[in-house]
Amino acid sequence: MRASAAREPYSYVARLDGAASAIVIVCVLDYEASRAIFEAAGSALAGRVLVNLTSDTPERAREAAAWAAARGVDYIDGAIMVPTNVIGQPEALLLYSGSQAAFEAHLPTLKALGGSAKFLGPDHGMAALYDMALLDIFFSSMAALMHAFALVGADGVPATTFVPFASEFFGFMPGMAEAAARAVDEGKHPGDFDNVRMEAEGIGHIVQASRARGVDTTGIAAIKSIFDRAVAKGHGADSISSIIEVLKRPGA
C-alpha cells in the first residue's frame, strides 16, 4: 500500500546542511533501511523534524522514536494507506503519530502527500498499529475475494461477471462493522439476528464446495476453526462479533 524504495538511498538525508528543510521525510523498505539512513545522516538530523513513513511494527516505531529523541530529533511516525497512484491526492489517507506540535507545524507539507492526514496521538506506535490493523483487513479481504473468484470460476463464472455482486455485497459492510465495533467495546454479543453456530455451518458449506471443486481451502478452513472454537467456548448462540473472544489476548 505504499511506494517501493531501494534499501540504501543514503543520499536522501546524508548530505543535509543548514540550508536544508526543517522537515525530513523518509519512506523506504523497512526499519533496517530507514535506520541505516538515519545513522548515515548523523548529527545533520539534530533540530529537525523527522517523518518516517516506512512500514513496520509499533514496537519498531517506538524504538525509532527513542533513537531520535536521544539525538535531539523531533520524530513523527507515519503510514501511507493508499496505493502509489493516489499519493498526493486530496483523498489520500496517511496516518501520523508522535509529536503533535511538529505535526501541526508541518501539516501543509504533510497534506501535500495526502489530503486526509490523520493524527493518532503522542504514542509513536499508533500509526504503525493502525497500519497493521488496516492492512489486516485489506490482505484478508483480498485473499477472500480471490478465493471467491476461484470458487465461482471453477463453475465457469468469470470474475468480471461476479464482481458487481461482490461490490454490492460490500455495501453492507460499513454498517455491519460499526455494529460489531459497538458490540466488541460493550462486551455484548446478542444473537438476535445471527449466531455463530449457524454461521459455522454456513462456512462449512463453503469448505465443502471448495473441496469439491479442487479450490484451496487453507484460508476458509482457518476461519471455520475460529468459529468452531467460539462455539466450543459457549458462544454458539451469540452474534458473529463474539468470535473476538477467541481472537483477543486473555484479559484484553
Side-chain angles (χ1 to χ4, degrees):
M1 299 292 284
R2 73 264 311 136
S4 60
R7 181 177 285 274
E8 299 180 342
Y10 301 131
S11 61
Y12 289 168
V13 296
R15 296 182 59 83
L16 291 171
D17 57 30
S21 172
I23 182 172
V24 177
I25 301 173
V26 176
C27 181
V28 289
L29 178 65
D30 55 27
Y31 271 45
E32 280 78 13
S34 63
R35 176 62 69 88
I37 292 172
F38 302 160
E39 295 285 0
S43 61
L45 288 172
R48 304 179 193 277
V49 174
L50 177 58
V51 181
N52 191 3
L53 298 178
T54 302
S55 179
D56 214 305
T57 67
E59 290 73 22
R60 299 292 295 279
R62 293 173 184 129
E63 290 172 5
W67 180 94
R71 291 160 177 79
V73 179
D74 215 357
Y75 184 79
I76 299 174
D77 205 84
I80 300 170
M81 304 311 305
V82 294
T84 54
N85 62 311
V86 184
I87 294 173
Q89 301 302 311
E91 68 272 20
L93 172 62
L94 279 80
L95 308 176
Y96 300 95
S97 57
S99 172
Q100 183 169 2
F103 172 79
E104 292 175 351
H106 295 282
L107 187 55
T109 299
L110 298 177
K111 282 200 168 186
L113 298 175
S116 184
K118 308 294 187 185
F119 183 72
L120 301 176
D123 181 347
H124 291 88
M126 280 296 108
L129 180 64
Y130 275 56
D131 182 30
M132 298 295 98
L134 290 170
L135 290 178
D136 187 356
I137 296 171
F138 173 75
F139 292 130
S140 298
S141 298
M142 288 303 295
L145 182 61
M146 294 306 107
H147 188 272
F149 286 164
L151 184 60
V152 299
D155 280 19
V157 179
T160 50
T161 298
F162 174 75
V163 74
F165 295 87
S167 297
E168 184 174 351
F169 188 76
F170 285 151
F172 294 102
M173 296 305 295
M176 294 179 68
E178 291 176 5
R182 288 193 297 271
V184 167
D185 286 349
E186 294 171 2
K188 299 177 182 178
H189 311 281
D192 298 334
F193 302 103
D194 68 304
N195 65 71
V196 173
R197 182 175 288 106
M198 173 189 70
E199 286 149 351
E201 288 297 318
I203 299 169
H205 299 157
I206 302 171
V207 174
Q208 292 170 14
S210 298
R211 286 176 178 161
R213 287 158 176 78
V215 174
D216 185 276
T217 60
T218 304
I220 193 66
I223 294 171
K224 177 69 161 59
S225 72
I226 294 171
F227 280 72
D228 288 344
R229 285 161 50 206
V231 172
K233 197 172 180 179
H235 296 288
D238 296 338
S239 69
I240 191 171
S241 59
S242 67
I243 67 171
I244 188 73
E245 302 302 334
V246 300
L247 293 172
K248 67 182 183 182
R249 70 179 187 224

